[in-house]
Amino acid sequence: MTHVATPTLHQSAKGARRPVGRRVAPYLFVLPAILLFAGFKLYPIAWSFVLSLYKTIDGVDTFVGADNYSRLLKDPLFWTALKNTGIILVVQVPVMLALATGLAVAFNSTFLKARSVFRLGFFMPMVTGLVAYGIIFSVLLNEQYGLVNWVLSLVGISDVPWLTDPFWAKISLGLALTWHYTGYNAVLLLARLQTIPKELYDAASVDGAGAWGTFRHVTLPGLRPAILLTTVLSTIGTLQIFDEPYILTRGGPDNATLTIGVYLYQNAFQFFDFGYASAIAYALAVLIGILGLIQFRVLGDKK
């Protein structure tokens, strides 16, 4: 007769504990990341909301409830900053995404030689630090000794007040943003473009579709998820824009380039009104959420 060994009580208990250890182990590995996220992300977000309910009066933090939020509705500078940010969003972002789409199609074309070189060249501005490229543009666009005005003077065009005139300051900001982010969005669109089946283009060619018809009925529908992604990311980035207007113009001249990000910074670190700055930040977060939902409704998959 074959004898079957019966596990001891100690062995059974040890075996029962192993599955529990396996279940706990993954959480122990991610625990440091969770703690860091909670300490450097969740806590500041929560404390910022608490700050938005307080105001410093005579050196004492006083609970004022929703007063900081109601103050937003009556603050003309906040509405000026919101209008300026909205102009950038409505004008510069569509132009940038249209250019990025054209570049993505060109980068994917077999007629373009040395495509990798062009892709790298157009993506390189994204690698440049925000402060660094802001300083570079402030030097290039300087009215007195900037390179751009010097080149324009060679063809008989007088100096353009790029950074000192309200209208041209907006143009300068739009040029800087377009230069920095167009290549990045083009690469995102290119990645999606390369996933569109070649059979669709062959079918369009057989049906007699021209270049525009193929682009309209094959390329654009195929790019829809990437267009949604780049639109949402560009919207979030534009609404949070701070570095470029602060470095180029400090929000001037005459508040022409004052954005919500710059105005938030001014209230927090120049006027030390952290409660009001926190209220601006939460109003901005709500605005981003609303615009994101609208974009998903309009550009997202209808299914």
Side-chain angles (χ1 to χ4, degrees):
M1 179 180 296
T2 303
H3 177 71
V4 179
T6 304
T8 63
L9 180 62
H10 175 72
Q11 292 173 331
S12 300
K14 185 177 179 180
R17 285 198 300 269
R18 285 178 181 173
V20 176
R22 292 194 186 99
R23 290 196 298 268
V24 173
Y27 297 100
L28 293 178
F29 281 112
V30 301
L31 182 61
I34 293 175
L35 293 177
L36 289 173
F37 179 78
F40 291 96
K41 288 290 186 178
L42 294 181
Y43 173 75
I45 291 173
W47 183 244
S48 177
F49 178 74
V50 174
L51 279 178
S52 70
L53 304 178
Y54 282 81
K55 183 178 181 180
T56 303
I57 302 175
D58 297 330
V60 179
D61 291 337
T62 306
F63 180 80
V64 293
D67 285 1
N68 285 322
Y69 293 95
S70 61
R71 175 182 167 187
L72 286 173
L73 303 177
K74 307 172 185 176
D75 185 358
L77 276 180
F78 172 76
W79 290 106
T80 298
L82 184 62
K83 182 188 72 173
N84 292 337
T85 308
I87 291 174
I88 299 172
L89 179 63
V90 173
V91 177
Q92 186 270 334
V93 170
V95 171
M96 176 185 65
L97 293 181
L99 290 174
T101 303
L103 286 174
V105 173
F107 293 159
N108 197 50
S109 174
T110 56
F111 296 101
L112 181 66
K113 305 301 181 183
R115 286 178 293 175
S116 299
V117 176
F118 282 99
R119 293 171 187 175
L120 178 62
F122 277 90
F123 185 78
M124 284 299 291
M126 188 62 192
V127 182
T128 308
L130 294 175
V131 175
Y133 103 86
I135 294 175
I136 291 172
F137 265 83
S138 66
V139 174
L140 291 175
L141 298 175
N142 185 277
E143 184 176 354
Q144 297 179 350
Y145 53 82
L147 178 63
V148 175
N149 276 345
W150 178 77
V151 173
L152 293 177
S153 67
L154 298 179
V155 294
I157 300 176
S158 59
D159 291 344
V160 178
W162 295 104
L163 304 177
T164 56
D165 179 80
F167 172 78
W168 288 110
K170 288 186 174 69
I171 298 296
S172 302
L173 182 58
L175 290 174
L177 293 171
T178 302
W179 177 84
H180 192 254
Y181 293 103
T182 299
Y184 169 76
N185 288 288
V187 170
L188 293 178
L189 292 167
L190 175 63
R192 175 63 187 181
L193 188 62
Q194 292 176 336
T195 66
I196 300 176
K198 187 177 181 299
E199 291 78 7
L200 296 179
Y201 290 99
D202 294 337
S205 178
V206 170
D207 291 340
W212 170 248
T214 302
F215 177 78
R216 180 182 177 185
H217 297 290
V218 178
T219 303
L220 277 183
L223 284 177
R224 188 168 186 165
I227 292 175
L228 172 61
L229 174 64
T230 53
T231 301
V232 172
L233 291 179
S234 299
T235 299
I236 295 174
T238 301
L239 291 175
Q240 294 178 331
I241 185 174
F242 166 75
D243 300 83
E244 292 87 349
Y246 183 77
I247 294 170
L248 284 174
T249 60
R250 293 295 193 275
D254 195 23
N255 296 320
T257 58
L258 180 68
T259 62
I260 299 178
V262 174
Y263 190 50
L264 188 155
Y265 171 84
Q266 291 176 348
N267 279 277
F269 300 106
Q270 291 183 6
F271 310 136
F272 299 102
D273 193 349
F274 294 106
Y276 189 53
S278 299
I280 295 174
Y282 266 88
L284 177 60
V286 172
L287 179 60
I288 290 174
I290 293 174
L291 289 179
L293 289 175
I294 293 174
Q295 289 168 345
F296 272 100
R297 290 282 187 180
V298 174
L299 299 175
D301 191 348
K302 295 297 185 292
K303 297 179 181 179

